[in-house]
Each structure stands twice: as C-alpha cells, then as structure tokens.
Amino acid sequence: MPRDLKYVIEGLENIKNKAAEVVIRRKEEDNMIDIETRKVTIPNIKHFFNDS
Amino acid sequence: MIPKKLIIAEDTINDIVEESNRHENVETGGLLFGKIIGECIIILKIIHSSTNAKRTHVYFEMDEDFAINITKQMEKNNLAYLGNWHKHLGYGGPSNGDDKQAELFLIQNSHKRNYLSLIIDFYNNDYNLIATNYSFDEDEFIKKDIQIQQIINIQELNKIFKRKKLNIRNFIDNLSKNLEDHTGKTFIHSQSNKSQSYKLFYEEIYDLQNSESKTKNKIVYSVFIKFPYLNISMTDKISIGVTLDHKLTRIVEEIQFSDIFFNIVELLPKLKNIFDKSQYYIKILLHSDNKKENSDFKNRIKIIKVIFRTLKSIYIQYSFKAKAKNVT
C-alpha cells in the first residue's frame, strides 16, 4: 500500500474515533486543497477506587 | 526521558485546596495542562470539572464533552494535557482504578508519552499531595511517584530553566498552526544558513493609493517572528517586526523567549495588531526610506564638493608654480 494512502486511512480512522480533527485549506496559488488531520487528546475523565 | 519532578505554583495548590473544600465528603478534581521540559513536568493551567461531574466519596467522573472541548482549546494554545488532579478522602495515592484509567489513557492516546496523576489526599483536616507519573517503556507499563517542587509563581521558572537549551522546532510548528488559527494566514518557515536564525513570516502585497512611494504603486509587506537559533535558551530574545520589499526592516518588539514559551496566547494579539496597523508601518518605513535616500544624496553632494575643492586647490598651486617659472 502506498505510504500516502496509509496516512489517509490512519487519518480517517482517527477522525472516526474522534481522536483527530480536520483542517481544510484551499491554496490560492495552485487552487489545490490541503487536508490536514490534527491529533486530539482524549482526556481521562474517570477516577474510581477499584477496577471492578 | 521519564519525568522525575513536578513543578507547581503555590497559587495553583491553593486553588486545588479551595476547590476540594467546596465539595465536602466527596471526590472531585480537574484537568492539568502545561509543558514537559526534560525531567520536569510544569503545571501552567488547571481547569476544575464542571457542575455536571459525578461526585461520590469513592468515585469521580468529569463531563466528557466539557473535558474534550477544554483540552482541544488548551492544546491549540500550546499547553499540553498532562493528566488530572483529584481528591481522595484519606486513602492515600492512586487506587487500582486510577492506575487502570492511566494505562487506558496511554493506550488510547498513542501520541502521549506520559500521564500525570496529582492526588490531594485529605485526612484529619490536613492534606497531602501525591504526584505519580505513568508511562510505557515498550510494552511495560511504568508507574512512578515523582517529587513535587513548589514554586511561588510562574516567573520563577526563568531561574530554574535559565541555563537549559531547548530545540524549538516542534514549538515553532505549533506556533505557526496557532498563528494560522488566530490570523487566518499561513506563515512560511525559513532558516538562514549563515546566521542559524529561524524565521516565520507572512507576506502581503499592498496597493499604495496615495502614491506614498513615487517610484511604484505596489509594495510587499511582511510580518515576521525571528528566533536567533533553533537551540534556544529561555533568556534569549525573539523579535517580531515588519519588512518592506524584503529590504527595510523595523523590529516592533523584542520578547524574552520564556514569555512566549510558557504563554503564547499573549503573542497572538500582538501579531494580529501588526497586520491591522500595516498602513501605519508602511508609512513609517517609507518615510525612513526617503530620509535615507535624502541623506545618501547629501553625502554624495558633500563628497563631490570635497573633490571639487581639492581639484581647485591643485589647479591654483599648479598655475602659481607655472607663473613663477615664467618669471624666472
């Protein structure tokens, strides 16, 4: 599998799991679109006395 | 590198104690944000959980949407999510449940290397702070208590990190993303091979309506942030400024690196202001350019006058000698 495609799939998986957000930019100079995924930290929200 | 020390300001601890006292006989807590520098974890911001949190004497759960939104907001401002603080009612450090949650967090967030648990344990009207760092060494899950260094305020960090040099490549990448979010402009990265300095800049072309410059109507205006080196110390200064047509530069402000490293939020409005005041800076720079041209012209006139005077005196001396020769 091409490496770029691997990144695209990984990015989409992250978005699906809400672990990433997407930034879309249209570049004026060549009219291309940049899609960037940024990792989002999902914080820990639970604290309990035992693990049962 | 596994962190070995937690740095926390006195005000932050007081804030945690007050929030704990507001929720008597139940657990409570909040989110911790800051930076990790080498072996030190620095808490720069704490956010207490919202009113929607579930609180009992052995269990505490934050509102998920609230926690995620706050974390996104903080990380956009270059403050990393470090972990949580929470209150225990006299049963000491992290429980089995706390350990499991820390492990789960590191598995789910593969981009994070550490998770910090800060517990405030109340017993007989007194409290004890326990800091624990969790990490993975390959497949091994590691839990380690770490030392807590209490400082009076954030300004003390300058003293602690005075001699330490940091590679700031990641910081600059994050800063440029931040700038884009804040100003809507994509900054270009450039490194000078000669001076080792690193620059983030954005260029705009302006039409000069009132013919500020007589020679041309369009001018390239660029706003820059310049770092002296990529390996920078906290006391080094960075400069922000503007350049006209790639040649006339004006430094608008010099800032100690620690001031933006620990809090870049204050830098963003300053840069936005430089864009908003573009006409003002263009005027100033063009004016200084005219002044420079004028002074260059004056210097040239002075040189020509000196040459003329010298030639004249040589001519007089020569003609005087020639006359004297004719007399003899």
Side-chain angles (χ1 to χ4, degrees):
Chain A
M1 186 190 295
R3 210 172 57 168
D4 287 355
L5 190 59
K6 201 179 141 216
Y7 287 144
V8 172
I9 292 170
E10 195 186 300
L12 290 172
E13 284 286 337
N14 282 331
I15 297 160
K16 204 174 100 190
N17 300 330
K18 290 186 182 175
E21 57 183 13
V22 191
V23 182
I24 301 170
R25 284 188 217 99
R26 184 185 289 275
K27 291 193 284 177
E28 276 174 24
E29 56 271 25
D30 52 10
N31 212 22
M32 296 283 278
I33 291 175
D34 261 358
I35 300 175
E36 189 194 325
T37 56
R38 291 183 191 173
K39 283 263 185 191
V40 169
T41 305
I42 307 292
N44 172 28
I45 56 160
K46 287 179 188 171
H47 294 276
F48 44 92
F49 193 68
N50 57 43
D51 55 350
S52 56
Chain B
M1 192 182 285
I2 296 175
K4 290 181 180 155
K5 194 196 275 182
L6 170 68
I7 299 177
I8 184 166
E10 211 172 74
D11 282 356
T12 312
I13 295 176
N14 293 340
D15 195 4
I16 287 175
V17 173
E18 268 178 39
E19 175 66 11
S20 301
N21 287 335
R22 260 196 289 272
H23 301 277
E24 268 185 285
N25 303 322
V26 286
E27 285 196 9
T28 188
L31 306 153
L32 303 169
F33 298 95
K35 306 252 182 205
I36 299 180
I37 306 179
E39 293 182 337
C40 299
I41 303 177
I42 308 155
I43 296 176
L44 294 167
K45 184 98 185 152
I46 55 165
I47 302 287
H48 303 314
S49 49
S50 62
T51 46
N52 294 341
K54 291 171 192 161
R55 298 176 175 93
T56 75
H57 70 288
V58 287
Y59 178 75
F60 158 65
E61 184 178 338
M62 280 183 249
D63 179 292
E64 192 176 11
D65 288 342
F66 168 82
I68 291 175
N69 287 337
I70 291 282
T71 304
K72 268 189 194 171
Q73 203 181 310
M74 292 293 161
E75 290 195 335
K76 271 188 181 171
N77 290 329
N78 258 27
L79 292 177
Y81 170 70
L82 302 170
N84 292 350
W85 76 268
H86 77 285
K87 176 186 171 186
H88 275 182
L89 300 163
Y91 33 82
S95 61
N96 287 344
D98 294 333
D99 293 348
K100 280 277 171 200
Q101 280 302 116
E103 188 176 1
L104 196 63
F105 168 82
L106 289 170
I107 293 167
Q108 282 175 343
N109 295 271
S110 54
H111 59 292
K112 302 295 275 189
R113 299 257 173 99
N114 298 281
Y115 174 84
L116 170 70
S117 155
L118 178 65
I119 289 173
I120 182 161
D121 188 32
F122 280 84
Y123 187 73
N124 281 348
N125 292 329
D126 200 5
Y127 67 84
N128 188 20
L129 283 170
I130 305 139
T132 310
N133 185 69
Y134 296 90
S135 60
F136 268 103
D137 184 6
E138 295 187 357
D139 286 341
E140 193 191 349
F141 181 59
I142 299 169
K143 171 186 176 183
K144 208 166 181 183
D145 281 355
I146 55 171
Q147 181 203 340
I148 299 175
Q149 183 179 351
Q150 196 173 318
I151 56 170
I152 295 177
N153 52 41
I154 299 297
Q155 282 68 41
E156 268 193 62
L157 291 173
N158 283 347
K159 284 185 212 156
I160 296 171
F161 296 106
K162 201 176 176 182
R163 290 197 191 126
K164 192 166 176 63
K165 293 230 170 191
L166 297 173
N167 186 307
I168 54 165
R169 191 59 221 241
N170 283 342
F171 174 82
I172 292 174
D173 285 346
N174 278 327
L175 176 64
S176 71
K177 280 177 189 165
N178 250 288
L179 286 168
E180 193 175 335
D181 289 342
H182 194 77
T183 61
K185 298 173 197 302
T186 307
F187 276 66
I188 298 165
H189 295 236
S190 95
Q191 184 165 17
S192 154
N193 290 332
K194 237 183 186 178
S195 64
Q196 304 287 306
S197 66
Y198 201 94
K199 208 156 85 170
L200 278 180
F201 68 97
Y202 178 82
E203 281 181 3
E204 270 178 356
I205 297 172
Y206 280 85
D207 274 321
L208 298 176
Q209 288 166 353
N210 299 327
S211 185
E212 296 279 357
S213 167
K214 283 173 188 167
T215 48
K216 53 186 166 179
N217 294 324
K218 285 188 177 172
I219 205 146
V220 181
Y221 175 76
S222 91
V223 174
F224 67 84
I225 310 150
K226 194 174 170 188
F227 301 85
Y229 322 98
L230 270 180
N231 282 318
I232 200 168
S233 80
M234 289 292 173
T235 48
D236 280 330
K237 289 200 169 168
I238 64 146
S239 41
I240 58 173
V242 292
T243 306
L244 228 57
D245 280 343
H246 307 120
K247 54 183 182 189
L248 294 167
T249 301
R250 185 184 171 92
I251 307 274
V252 176
E253 195 167 343
E254 284 194 313
I255 306 167
Q256 189 162 297
F257 178 63
S258 60
D259 287 349
I260 67 157
F261 183 73
F262 294 119
N263 180 15
I264 65 160
V265 179
E266 281 180 22
L267 177 70
L268 305 175
K270 281 180 186 169
L271 285 157
K272 198 169 178 295
N273 190 35
I274 297 176
F275 281 113
D276 295 344
K277 284 190 174 168
S278 58
Q279 296 298 332
Y280 165 76
Y281 289 116
I282 289 172
K283 234 178 205 176
I284 287 181
L285 284 167
L286 283 177
H287 181 64
S288 61
D289 188 28
N290 289 340
K291 260 190 182 169
K292 192 176 170 284
E293 275 177 10
N294 286 341
S295 74
D296 282 353
F297 180 68
K298 278 178 189 167
N299 284 338
R300 262 182 250 140
I301 294 283
K302 259 185 198 169
I303 292 165
I304 290 167
K305 276 184 180 170
V306 169
I307 293 169
F308 184 70
R309 255 188 246 129
T310 317
L311 284 171
K312 202 178 167 185
S313 74
I314 290 169
Y315 173 72
I316 291 166
Q317 274 178 24
Y318 178 77
S319 59
F320 182 74
K321 274 181 190 169
K323 271 181 192 170
K325 216 178 183 182
N326 287 338
V327 172
T328 52

